[in-house]
Amino acid sequence: MQNIKQDAILSIKNVSKNFPGVKALDQVSIEVERGTVHGIVGENGAGKSTLMKILSGVHPKDSGTIIFDGELVENTTPILSMKSGLSIIYQELNLVSTMTVGENIFLGRFGELGGMQHVHEKAKGLLESIGSHVTTYKLVSELSVSEKQMVEIAKALSFDSKLIIMDEPSSSLTADEMKALVKIIHHLKAQGISIIYISHKLDEIFEFCSVVTIMRDGHIIDTKPINAITRSEMITKMVGRTIENEYPKRPNCVGETLMEVQSINTKKLHDIAFKLHRGEILGLVGLVGAGRTEIVRAIFGADRIKGHKIIMEGKLIKIRKPSDAKKAGIALVTEDRKTQGLVLPFSVENNISMAILDKISKYGFLNKSMETEIAERHVKSLDIKTPSIKTTVQNLSGGNQQKCILGRWLEINPSVLILDEPTRGIDVGAKYEIYLLMKQIVENGGAIILISSELPEVLNMSNRVLTVCEGRITGEFDPKDSTPDQIMSKAFASERKE
Amino acid sequence: MTSKYEFKKIFESIFKEYLILGAIAVLVLVTSVVQPAFLSVGNLSNVIRQFGPLIMVALGMTFVIIGGFIDLSVAGIISLVAVVTVHFIDIAGQGPALLIGLGIGLACGILNSALLLTSGALTQAEALFITYGMSLVYGALALIISGGSTKHIFWSENNTNLFEIIGSGSVGFFSTSFLIFLICLMVLYLLQNYTYAGRVMRLTGGNKTAAELCGININRSIIFIYAISGLMSAIGSIVLISRVTTASPVIGTGYETNAILAVVVGGTTLSGGKGSVMRTVLGTMLVILLSNCMNLLGVSVYLQYVLKGAILVIAIWMDNRKQS
Amino acid sequence: TDGTATKGNDSTSTNGTTDAPVKVAFIAQNMATEAMAFAAKEFEKYGADYGFEVIILDAKGDAQINVQAVDNAVAQGVKAIFVTPNDINAIIPSLQSAKEAGVIVGMFSSDLPEGNHDARDFFVGVNDNQAGEAAAQAFINHFPDGANIVEIGGQAGHDAQNKRHDGFNNKLEGTNIKVIDYKATQQWATDQAMAIAEDMITKYGSEIDGIFCHWDNGGTGVIQALKAAKMDNVYLVAVDGCRAGFEQVKSGEQSVTIMQNFSNMTKKSLELAKDKLDGKEVESVNFIPLDIVDLDNIDTFTAPEW
Amino acid sequence: MNILGYCKKILYLVNKQKAFLALILMFTAMLFFKTNFYTPFNLINLMKSGSVLLILAFGITIVLVAGGADLSIGGVMVVSGIVAIKLMNVNVPMAIAIICALLVGVVVGMINAFFSVYQKTEPFIITLGMGMLLTGIAQQLTDAHPVASLNPEFVLLSNGKLFNQIPNQVIVMFGVFVLTFFILRYTSFGRNCYAIGGDYEVAKYSGINVMRTKALAYVYSGVIAALGGIMLSSMLNSGNSTYGENTALLVNCGVVVGGTSFAGGIGGAQQSLIGLLVFAVLQNSMNMVGVDSYVQLLFQGIVTVGIIWLDSYGRKKRRETV
Ligand SMILES: Nc1ncnc2c1ncn2[C@@H]1O[C@H](COP(=O)(O)OP(=O)(O)OP(=O)(O)O)[C@@H](O)[C@H]1O
Ligand SMILES: Nc1ncnc2c1ncn2[C@@H]1O[C@H](COP(=O)(O)OP(=O)(O)OP(=O)(O)O)[C@@H](O)[C@H]1O
Ligand SMILES: [Mg+2]
Ligand SMILES: [Mg+2]
């Protein structure tokens, strides 16, 4: 334990972090050497961002020690960590959209600079040093995503950082911008600044990281010098887990075509077309931002789009708004429970009955006993753990909240159930119950579209998998005959053919 | 043993939920000790009559606030309805005049919602200022129609006994205005808790996005919300002019703030989705009782303002603390 | 622009030979009150008789806008302004500058405080103090053996309300008429007057011999409260003499209304302004007598139009 | 090309600034009426008549930018004016009386901040209650009678004229405008307010002391409202509880019409200036043209609704194109 390497800028030891229902980090230890670019890879939800947020002081850690630049870090805050020389470019952009570029770079530090004039001058210098020519007086809300990204990088540089964490900085950069970023990274490295680089684009990892750490499910799987690992090894380590009893036996009852989707085209999506069969679970795999959510929102009529076709049981149907989809027997469980699914101040009962209000009302009056009956039935059959159906849904755990939403949609007897990240933030037990439920639905003749960032989940549950990359469907797999590596290589953005 | 424990728990939860009941109890207790006349039948029926106009407006406002919006135009609607109703007694007779008044209230409410929907102004702040502007418009119309002068109901050549019945008549033990209140409360309670429309209005304030993704028509709900507010303001206005037998073009002044306060003090939160008409009844009761009791206790009218402000601030603050 | 009156009207000639009517302004303290709306109408009606074109400006019940209205009238190049102040102190500085600009300033209905009379040329109106006193006198006359009176005020802080209150109470001082309670309303709102009356009836019951309500339309509410309590022996006095008060007296529901004659006030104001324009000296203080109207003498008065 | 660019930019700004457009329209319309609108005397009056409300507006602009709301300003204005006059009338020197009156604003600002910032109570409703309470205090202090100042110098504070032309209160108003403009634009406190109103969480993570900054905004609004009250009482030479009745909503409405967002993060002193000027010019010009006072009220309502409607509609369109 004594032999902390003198040249380690950051050493993380046995750090753990629990979120309600999720063990996001479990005894994680990493050492980052001075002046290196340290890559971290791992599936969605592996815990990469969480670890970085603990380093920067956004989240407190539950246990473990962190030593940064030779000093023990306790009770840090974002600003303290930045001032101590550790800055971070968050995965979700961390800018005030109503303010200018220059101000965002020096947010909270105007006083130290002596006047707004200096703010813009310095900001301009910083941006130019990374090859960006954004006017510093422009509002952030007027920037493109990649321009915003550059602003974030400039912001990190504006501190005299010894270590810069980049959490998926390249996910939205153009090729030119990416080149500039690579240059910057080399430049920083030359100055002795260390970098933690998180990315799903494995090419980048190989291009300029000297060490790579692979994470999965809150654990560190391995840390290796980059020249000691191959690409396929890396993917295997990222996704390859063999867990027997986490999933029920895959249902096998695929029948004739139930729904056909043709030519969905939006700014983000290109020529999306696929078929869904009766009794089938269709998995959509892709990276964050690949466009999976947009596809299902388009099908469900949640976003207004034109020119697409949806054919249900051979009949062309028009879906302009969610109620049309509901009528056609399509249900959507959204990815963001809190903002798009639940009505937090409502009771469990009222949340469950939301989609069938019109069915349980007669002459405008709600049949409350029927509502209660339905709610109780779902609470029982889905085993929702709640003191009573009158309890405010806010007070339930994530898994039980999710089950309420599932119950809501099961009640309309959907022929197509779309599940967008149905198990996000849910513990293993509850997950299993949800899987059983899915099985039951398809066995009863329904069909499911499953979006999940957990590859094993998709692989174990689906009868067929489509990979989505940058708004296009890039591949179709039978999960029984394909390896995770094959599938992921179609999902990774850097693998696209021009 | 358990029943005792449960009783305590129920009591606690009621008290926590309805902190305001405690405030009302204290107020009633103190006043009736100092001034026994407070508990006289005469005074209680006075309180009920005074309650009349404000409660109507506040009940309507409850729907608006639960729906996640706010309505400052009620003051203007009350004045406009008052003026128009009295104006039409001579022209069309009392029954039609009354219906015209109610229709105007409804129309004003629908116009408000149309402005919000067409401009996509679906935040509370936008609603605040649009309805404020509309309040000026309705108030101005009231002044223009009346020429600025107050008109008394009994100046009319037509029969006005309908208004006399509403204002000062009674059915059995209850005054007519109390019966109107009971009917409105019952209808609105049913509407809020037992109908599709009521649930959807609540959903509008609870989570618009989620409701829309469940295939619910939010726009229709918003129209409905403001229509109720407009209609209830009109009913309040008619109860008010019947009570005082005169319609001044500025008769609605101050009703918007008092109604909002009554709703919020009752425990319906401005963030939407939560609350009930029953709470508003309690909130209005507190607001009305506060001035009744202070008048009886001989508190000077200036100090009344101070105390009223202080009690409201504290009530809202306590409610806020309880929730967080 | 036509180049007239960059600073008041001193640049224009006042020879009065032109046929165009002379522009004057009536500044109402609040056009949303019937008294002011009526007064404004009277000004418009009689203005032409004196060769004036009267523009009406509304202070909307706000002392600040009242001042702005004075400035605005001066900017419009009027020859004379008739002002009803929301706040008699507040209006003084603006009137001074109006006078400096050569505009004739007439106070209407309320006068400036003592010592500031040089900020205006003349005052026409009833004395609200006197209105209060007259109301007190009515009680003194009616109750030689003393009585308990409840006073219900107008808008707290309003000038007329304050003066009526002060005049009433000063006059009663030392008499056997006792004011047992006093409450002012927050606006001149009938329902507020009614609620106060109801509460007072609860509190004092039959102890109440008389009620002084500061305005007739408030009195309407008091009458409703009395009716509901079946108290028909209460002596109700109110101020204004508007149509409501007049008819309430006629029907016996109200005992006395203290009548302000706005038509006469208007005509007098216009007349004084004309005299002043013609260079004549005018009387500084012109009270239009208040009429105490009760059932006995009501037939001697013409019914008011407002 | 360059000129075209400038034209485009101006058009863009005008389109974004509906209130400015309204202002321009009104000024243009007044060219077609034969009135004394365009006389220096009237234009100075125009500024003078709007100045107290403008002063208050600049105060709340900072609160709104920081994502708060302050409806207590009417009450503060009234109480501070009364306090100043009452103190002077018991022979307290004017300077000290004024400082005490300003302290009223500080105290109210701190109370508002306590409730709405530290206790996270809905600012809209809590400051509304505070405003009511303050009106009561004003009545209590004065027995609901106007109090006139006995100190002859006090009147000059507002009514004295620079170069015998421009009333002091207009100068004070411009002073507060410049101060607020400067604070919001060039100080870290001001920029932090924008950050907090724009995104509370991001501001917090950037190390801004969000609570203290927001609290300070409330105090600023309180002090400026108190200053407005002093200028008003000096202008009117009198303090009275009735002065502040509709002030709070009127000023907030003007500020919002000017383009400062009630949701925070957007706006500024210059916008508030325009927003309140819309109403001042509207009233002045309608008086000049001789519009009936009830119809004036109607127009005021229509203009308010119109501008806010257009703004919201513009935002909706922008949302839909994204
Ligand atoms: N604030 C939070 N509250 C609850 N759970 C959280 C929170 N933040 C993250 N999690 C959960 O912690 C786990 C790790 O998430 P994290 O964001 O660290 O993953 P990641 O490796 O960064 O994934 P990605 O590649 O998608 O960015 C996930 O299961 C996530 O749902
Ligand atoms: N919360 C958000 N805020 C801003 N942009 C977002 C957000 N969520 C998604 N996006 C953007 O929208 C686009 C499409 O994302 P979408 O959610 O459809 O992808 P997805 O494949 O479903 O990803 P996920 O794994 O997150 O569900 C992406 O460019 C993404 O950056
Ligand atoms: Mg992440
Ligand atoms: Mg998604």
Side-chain angles (χ1 to χ4, degrees):
Chain A
M1 274 279 108
Q2 245 66 9
N3 59 345
I4 295 174
K5 274 182 244 156
Q6 210 46 48
D7 52 351
I9 176 90
L10 174 74
S11 113
I12 302 166
K13 283 219 164 58
N14 301 330
V15 168
S16 294
K17 173 77 189 173
N18 282 302
F19 286 115
V22 196
K23 186 139 204 159
L25 294 175
D26 190 7
Q27 301 282 326
V28 168
S29 303
I30 300 181
E31 292 214 344
V32 178
E33 286 172 39
R34 236 176 251 277
T36 56
V37 180
H38 192 123
I40 299 184
V41 294
E43 280 182 282
N44 295 135
K48 307 174 300 270
S49 299
T50 305
L51 181 61
M52 300 309 132
K53 283 183 180 165
I54 286 175
L55 290 178
S56 71
V58 170
H59 294 314
K61 61 181 187 293
D62 293 348
S63 62
T65 53
I66 296 168
I67 294 168
F68 175 67
D69 201 18
E71 293 192 26
L72 191 68
V73 180
E74 289 289 346
N75 302 328
T76 187
T77 63
I79 192 71
L80 278 181
S81 68
M82 280 190 268
K83 284 188 174 156
S84 72
L86 187 158
S87 51
I88 176 165
I89 300 166
Y90 294 100
Q91 184 173 4
E92 315 88 50
L93 296 172
N94 199 32
L95 301 171
V96 180
S97 58
T98 51
M99 298 184 84
T100 62
V101 168
E103 288 168 342
N104 264 289
I105 291 175
F106 291 102
L107 201 63
R109 293 178 290 155
F110 307 126
E112 299 156 23
L113 287 176
M116 296 307 295
Q117 201 54 42
H118 299 280
V119 165
H120 288 286
E121 268 168 29
K122 286 200 175 167
K124 198 168 171 222
L126 279 168
L127 282 167
E128 273 168 5
S129 79
I130 55 173
S132 168
H133 299 285
V134 182
T135 335
T136 58
Y137 289 95
K138 222 173 177 182
L139 287 182
V140 165
S141 59
E142 292 165 8
L143 301 184
S144 71
V145 180
S146 63
E147 283 173 323
K148 286 181 192 165
Q149 194 71 263
M150 297 310 266
V151 176
E152 285 265 27
I153 294 170
K155 183 176 174 181
L157 289 176
S158 72
F159 291 91
D160 278 330
S161 303
K162 301 184 187 101
L163 173 66
I164 298 178
I165 297 167
M166 301 184 179
D167 195 350
E168 296 189 38
S170 59
S171 54
S172 50
L173 296 188
T174 62
D176 280 348
E177 286 165 333
M178 191 58 220
K179 261 184 217 150
L181 179 64
V182 174
K183 227 192 256 166
I184 294 158
I185 288 172
H186 285 304
H187 180 63
L188 293 173
K189 208 162 89 175
Q191 286 179 316
I193 296 172
S194 323
I195 293 168
I196 294 180
Y197 191 87
I198 300 174
S199 178
H200 290 291
K201 301 185 179 175
L202 302 187
D203 288 353
E204 294 168 11
I205 302 286
F206 282 102
E207 188 178 344
F208 48 76
C209 293
S210 43
V211 184
V212 63
T213 295
I214 299 150
M215 289 182 76
R216 189 204 313 149
D217 274 350
H219 297 272
I220 301 290
I221 301 302
D222 207 350
T223 299
K224 285 210 159 161
I226 198 72
N227 39 25
I229 189 166
T230 65
R231 187 186 174 93
S232 60
E233 255 181 278
M234 201 185 280
I235 293 181
T236 310
K237 285 190 191 239
M238 276 164 65
V239 298
R241 71 192 122 171
T242 45
I243 309 157
E244 290 310 322
N245 283 332
E246 228 180 276
Y247 303 97
K249 207 164 159 281
R250 192 196 317 265
N252 194 2
C253 47
V254 180
E256 80 280 20
T257 303
L258 175 63
M259 182 174 81
E260 195 177 340
V261 177
Q262 287 175 3
S263 58
I264 296 180
N265 279 298
T266 69
K267 252 192 203 155
K268 167 91 194 177
L269 302 175
H270 313 283
D271 284 326
I272 299 295
F274 61 88
K275 281 182 185 166
L276 181 67
H277 304 96
R278 211 177 270 286
E280 181 184 41
I281 298 181
L282 175 68
L284 293 186
V285 172
L287 300 173
V288 171
R292 297 164 298 171
T293 301
E294 285 205 8
I295 295 175
V296 293
R297 280 179 65 90
I299 295 171
F300 192 66
D303 293 325
R304 228 169 241 205
I305 63 167
K306 277 184 196 143
H308 66 302
K309 274 188 194 157
I310 292 169
I311 298 154
M312 275 290 250
E313 303 186 71
K315 264 183 285 179
L316 184 70
I317 53 168
K318 277 225 161 74
I319 297 180
R320 284 204 203 82
K321 46 189 192 302
S323 60
D324 296 337
K326 202 168 83 176
K327 263 185 224 126
I330 304 175
L332 169 66
V333 175
T334 53
E335 61 181 330
D336 191 335
R337 270 200 297 281
K338 290 229 159 76
T339 62
Q340 295 171 13
L342 296 168
V343 183
L344 289 172
F346 274 33
S347 66
V348 169
E349 174 186 39
N350 294 349
N351 268 290
I352 291 179
S353 66
M354 258 173 77
I356 45 135
L357 283 178
D358 41 357
K359 291 221 187 85
I360 59 167
S361 48
K362 208 170 184 188
Y363 311 120
F365 278 90
L366 290 174
N367 187 339
K368 283 205 151 188
S369 57
M370 198 192 263
E371 183 184 12
T372 309
E373 198 183 293
I374 289 168
E376 259 161 5
R377 178 151 45 77
H378 287 293
V379 166
K380 205 182 257 165
S381 71
L382 298 175
D383 194 21
I384 300 176
K385 291 182 192 69
T386 171
S388 107
I389 55 166
K390 308 281 180 206
T391 306
T392 315
V393 77
Q394 208 161 8
N395 300 332
L396 264 55
S397 73
N400 287 305
Q401 288 179 341
Q402 187 69 301
K403 285 191 206 164
C404 289
I405 299 180
L406 281 170
R408 171 195 297 169
W409 287 113
L410 289 183
E411 189 54 39
I412 73 164
N413 265 326
S415 41
V416 176
L417 176 63
I418 304 170
L419 302 172
D420 194 355
E421 308 282 2
T423 61
R424 185 179 276 175
I426 288 176
D427 64 82
V428 185
K431 275 184 189 170
Y432 192 78
E433 289 168 35
I434 290 176
Y435 299 146
L436 282 182
L437 205 74
M438 287 163 60
K439 196 173 161 196
Q440 201 184 321
I441 291 165
V442 289
E443 278 167 359
N444 290 339
I448 290 178
I449 300 177
L450 171 67
I451 298 176
S452 173
S453 297
E454 290 195 41
L455 192 55
E457 179 174 295
V458 186
L459 295 185
N460 280 290
M461 292 305 300
S462 314
N463 303 104
R464 192 158 54 101
V465 171
L466 298 178
T467 52
V468 182
C469 180
E470 303 193 335
R472 288 173 210 277
I473 293 181
T474 51
E476 180 172 339
F477 296 90
D478 184 340
K480 281 183 298 219
D481 314 335
S482 5
T483 63
D485 312 25
Q486 287 173 323
I487 294 177
M488 284 318 278
S489 63
K490 283 279 183 198
F492 279 127
S494 54
E495 294 280 301
R496 71 173 182 267
K497 295 175 197 83
E498 285 303 314
Chain B
M1 193 61 212
T2 46
S3 74
K4 198 175 163 192
Y5 172 73
E6 266 174 13
F7 178 75
K8 201 177 150 205
K9 225 171 109 184
I10 290 170
F11 184 77
E12 256 178 20
S13 76
I14 285 183
F15 189 72
K16 254 195 199 148
E17 269 291 292
Y18 293 95
L19 204 73
I20 185 173
L21 270 180
I24 292 176
V26 171
L27 199 63
V28 165
L29 211 73
V30 171
T31 315
S32 49
V33 167
V34 178
Q35 188 61 253
F38 174 76
L39 290 176
S40 68
V41 176
N43 188 53
L44 293 183
S45 81
N46 277 346
V47 170
I48 285 168
R49 280 177 208 274
Q50 289 171 16
F51 194 62
L54 179 61
I55 185 69
M56 300 298 171
V57 186
L59 284 177
M61 188 69 80
T62 313
F63 283 83
V64 181
I65 291 181
I66 289 179
F69 295 101
I70 204 149
D71 188 358
L72 288 187
S73 75
V74 292
I77 296 179
I78 292 172
S79 300
L80 182 60
V81 169
V83 165
V84 171
T85 305
V86 174
H87 186 74
F88 272 99
I89 295 177
D90 270 342
I91 299 172
Q94 53 172 351
L98 202 145
L99 290 180
I100 289 170
L102 295 180
I104 298 245
L106 195 65
C108 289
I110 292 174
L111 178 58
N112 287 341
S113 61
L115 286 169
L116 294 181
L117 287 173
T118 49
S119 67
L122 297 183
T123 66
Q124 199 168 37
E126 287 166 314
L128 181 76
F129 290 104
I130 286 203
T131 56
Y132 172 70
M134 287 316 285
S135 191
L136 296 180
V137 169
Y138 301 142
L141 290 177
L143 282 165
I144 291 169
I145 291 168
S146 68
S149 58
T150 300
K151 199 165 174 192
H152 288 243
I153 288 179
F154 52 74
W155 293 348
S156 305
E157 282 156 19
N158 279 328
N159 196 347
T160 58
N161 59 2
L162 196 56
F163 292 92
E164 277 160 39
I165 291 170
I166 295 172
S168 50
S170 52
V171 181
F173 180 73
F174 295 112
S175 62
T176 322
S177 66
F178 186 65
L179 282 182
I180 295 176
F181 154 66
L182 279 184
I183 293 169
C184 287
L185 179 65
M186 225 155 66
V187 170
L188 292 180
Y189 182 81
L190 286 178
L191 178 68
Q192 185 166 62
N193 294 295
Y194 292 93
T195 66
Y196 177 79
R199 179 65 61 78
V200 170
M201 282 188 274
R202 199 182 273 269
L203 274 171
T204 308
N207 189 340
K208 278 192 203 66
T209 321
E212 273 186 316
L213 287 175
C214 284
I216 286 163
N217 188 338
I218 290 298
N219 291 358
R220 202 190 304 160
S221 164
I222 293 170
I223 295 172
F224 212 55
I225 284 170
Y226 275 95
I228 290 179
S229 176
L231 184 63
M232 288 311 293
S233 303
I235 295 178
S237 174
I238 282 167
V239 170
L240 179 60
I241 55 171
S242 305
R243 175 174 145 80
V244 298
T245 69
T246 144
S248 125
V250 289
I251 198 167
T253 313
Y255 270 88
E256 76 283 27
T257 32
N258 277 330
I260 292 171
L261 283 172
V263 172
V264 174
V265 165
T268 297
T269 49
L270 280 177
S271 54
K274 273 190 278 190
S276 75
V277 286
M278 286 303 173
R279 285 175 171 282
T280 297
V281 174
L282 290 180
T284 313
M285 210 138 92
L286 185 68
V287 171
I288 294 289
L289 276 179
L290 217 53
S291 29
N292 178 258
C293 291
M294 287 195 289
N295 276 343
L296 293 187
L297 293 175
V299 179
S300 92
V301 68
Y302 320 134
L303 201 55
Q304 284 193 17
Y305 238 133
V306 180
L307 288 176
K308 209 166 145 187
I311 287 173
L312 296 176
V313 167
I314 290 169
I316 295 157
W317 175 53
M318 300 259 280
D319 190 58
N320 192 65
R321 278 176 71 88
K322 187 191 75 196
Q323 284 171 6
S324 56
Chain C
T1 55
D2 55 7
T4 52
T6 45
K7 191 166 192 289
N9 64 342
D10 17 29
S11 59
T12 51
S13 63
T14 39
N15 51 17
T17 50
T18 48
D19 284 323
V22 179
K23 229 179 180 182
V24 299
F26 172 61
I27 296 164
Q29 51 170 262
N30 190 354
M31 287 290 280
T33 62
E34 55 272 10
M36 280 303 118
F38 177 70
K41 269 179 217 152
E42 294 295 277
F43 267 104
E44 279 179 332
K45 190 161 115 193
Y46 295 117
D49 298 354
Y50 297 86
F52 293 138
E53 180 204 337
V54 186
I55 54 174
I56 310 291
L57 296 172
D58 182 6
K60 303 190 170 111
D62 187 325
Q64 231 184 116
I65 303 181
N66 209 338
V67 170
Q68 293 162 16
V70 171
D71 293 342
N72 194 288
V74 174
Q76 292 198 46
V78 299
K79 298 282 175 0
I81 52 176
F82 309 100
V83 184
T84 47
N86 280 74
D87 182 319
I88 52 171
N89 292 308
I91 198 84
I92 296 170
S94 62
L95 293 184
Q96 276 164 343
S97 47
K99 266 194 86 173
E100 278 165 26
V103 176
I104 293 166
V105 177
M107 298 305 293
F108 186 83
S109 174
S110 300
D111 200 359
L112 297 180
E114 290 295 330
N116 293 292
H117 286 183
D118 52 351
R120 49 93 176 138
D121 292 290
F122 56 83
F123 156 71
V124 176
V126 293
N127 185 334
D128 271 307
N129 255 306
Q130 280 178 3
E133 283 169 18
Q137 192 58 50
F139 282 110
I140 293 170
N141 293 345
H142 190 258
F143 295 110
D145 301 328
N148 290 327
I149 308 296
V150 167
E151 183 188 355
I152 298 173
Q155 179 184 8
H158 194 275
D159 181 55
Q161 134 77 22
N162 285 331
K163 281 193 176 142
R164 286 172 199 177
H165 173 66
D166 295 343
F168 185 69
N169 285 279
N170 289 341
K171 181 86 181 179
L172 288 183
E173 209 153 280
T175 68
N176 51 7
I177 309 275
K178 227 173 82 198
V179 179
I180 51 174
D181 212 327
Y182 158 63
K183 292 269 179 296
T185 51
Q186 283 155 18
Q187 290 97 22
W188 299 85
T190 310
D191 55 326
Q192 287 169 17
M194 184 168 173
I196 291 173
E198 286 170 341
D199 292 348
M200 292 299 127
I201 289 169
T202 301
K203 193 169 170 189
Y204 299 105
S206 54
E207 274 176 58
I208 302 172
D209 300 310
I211 294 179
F212 171 42
C213 181
H214 280 207
W215 76 115
D216 279 338
N217 278 317
T220 310
V222 176
I223 291 168
Q224 298 308 317
L226 289 171
K227 268 191 193 161
K230 305 210 165 45
M231 292 171 64
D232 37 18
N233 264 333
V234 174
Y235 196 71
L236 173 63
V237 178
V239 182
D240 273 351
C242 64
R243 185 173 159 202
F246 211 73
E247 294 196 4
Q248 279 158 189
V249 170
K250 229 175 191 167
S251 68
E253 294 165 322
Q254 181 175 329
S255 312
V256 171
T257 179
I258 314 290
M259 190 153 114
Q260 321 181 10
N261 194 324
F262 278 107
S263 304
N264 288 346
M265 272 160 68
T266 308
K267 282 186 241 171
K268 183 79 185 172
S269 295
L270 291 165
E271 182 190 319
L272 291 177
K274 178 131 181 69
D275 288 352
K276 187 84 190 170
L277 270 180
D278 294 343
K280 287 184 211 158
E281 275 301 302
V282 298
E283 193 69 38
S284 167
V285 175
N286 305 271
F287 282 121
I288 301 296
L290 282 160
D291 298 314
I292 300 180
V293 180
D294 60 16
L295 198 52
D296 298 334
N297 65 4
I298 193 157
D299 293 331
T300 63
F301 296 94
T302 44
E305 291 169 45
W306 63 293
Chain D
M1 171 61 217
N2 216 346
I3 292 172
L4 208 73
Y6 272 115
C7 285
K8 251 188 179 166
K9 193 161 182 188
I10 287 171
L11 264 175
Y12 171 77
L13 280 177
V14 165
N15 186 40
K16 227 175 121 184
Q17 264 289 324
K18 303 287 188 312
F20 194 57
L21 190 67
L23 209 54
I24 291 173
L25 279 178
M26 282 191 284
F27 271 102
T28 316
M30 284 314 283
L31 288 172
F32 296 98
F33 289 97
K34 201 163 148 278
T35 65
N36 291 345
F37 182 81
Y38 280 107
T39 55
F41 184 73
N42 184 54
L43 293 178
I44 288 172
N45 266 345
L46 184 64
M47 291 315 289
K48 184 184 154 201
S49 64
S51 59
V52 171
L53 294 188
L54 273 164
I55 290 174
L56 302 193
F58 298 138
I60 61 164
T61 301
I62 294 195
V63 174
L64 290 195
V65 162
D70 190 353
L71 293 179
S72 69
I73 47 171
V76 177
M77 175 181 91
V78 166
V79 172
S80 69
I82 289 170
V83 165
I85 289 180
K86 281 231 146 191
L87 286 176
M88 277 184 293
N89 287 358
V90 293
N91 290 327
V92 174
M94 188 159 91
I96 295 177
I98 288 175
I99 289 172
C100 291
L102 291 176
L103 276 179
V104 170
V106 175
V107 171
V108 175
M110 286 186 344
I111 297 173
N112 283 337
F114 168 76
F115 283 118
S116 55
V117 180
Y118 292 97
Q119 298 285 325
K120 297 199 164 43
T121 312
E122 185 70 45
F124 169 73
I125 199 84
I126 212 81
T127 53
L128 188 73
M130 276 303 289
M132 251 172 115
L133 199 151
L134 288 166
T135 309
I137 290 177
Q139 292 184 348
Q140 187 72 17
L141 283 174
T142 58
D143 202 18
H145 282 55
V147 284
S149 160
L150 304 176
N151 186 340
E153 279 168 35
F154 184 58
V155 193
L156 296 179
L157 203 64
S158 267
N159 293 301
K161 284 180 182 157
L162 187 73
F163 310 130
N164 233 345
Q165 282 296 330
I166 303 166
N168 285 346
Q169 72 188 98
V170 175
I171 294 164
V172 171
M173 184 271 285
F174 269 110
V176 176
F177 169 66
V178 171
L179 178 69
T180 311
F181 185 81
F182 179 80
I183 287 179
L184 277 177
R185 221 158 207 202
Y186 298 110
T187 69
S188 53
F189 163 68
R191 298 322 292 180
N192 288 348
C193 284
Y194 278 100
I196 293 170
D199 196 320
Y200 191 84
E201 294 297 317
V202 172
K204 206 163 113 187
Y205 288 153
S206 301
I208 295 171
N209 191 335
V210 280
M211 295 259 196
R212 204 179 52 202
T213 307
K214 221 169 158 180
L216 212 57
Y218 276 99
V219 172
Y220 183 79
S221 164
V223 173
I224 295 297
L227 178 65
I230 293 166
M231 295 320 289
L232 177 67
S233 281
S234 157
M235 168 175 112
L236 304 175
N237 192 31
S238 159
N240 193 343
S241 54
T242 58
Y243 294 165
E245 258 172 34
N246 303 315
T247 311
L249 265 177
L250 206 67
V251 173
N252 271 285
C253 185
V255 170
V256 170
V257 161
T260 296
S261 160
F262 218 61
I266 298 170
Q270 69 286 7
Q271 261 125 323
S272 299
L273 181 72
I274 290 170
L276 272 114
L277 275 183
V278 166
F279 291 109
V281 172
L282 187 67
Q283 179 159 328
N284 184 287
S285 55
M286 286 195 297
N287 275 338
M288 283 291 172
V289 176
V291 177
D292 178 83
S293 80
Y294 303 152
V295 179
Q296 287 192 13
L297 205 61
L298 188 68
F299 273 112
Q300 200 184 329
I302 290 174
V303 167
T304 306
V305 174
I307 291 177
I308 295 176
W309 190 92
L310 283 173
D311 265 353
S312 303
Y313 188 73
R315 270 199 297 281
K316 179 179 158 193
K317 282 278 154 233
R318 250 172 284 148
R319 269 203 306 270
E320 280 172 3
T321 53
V322 163

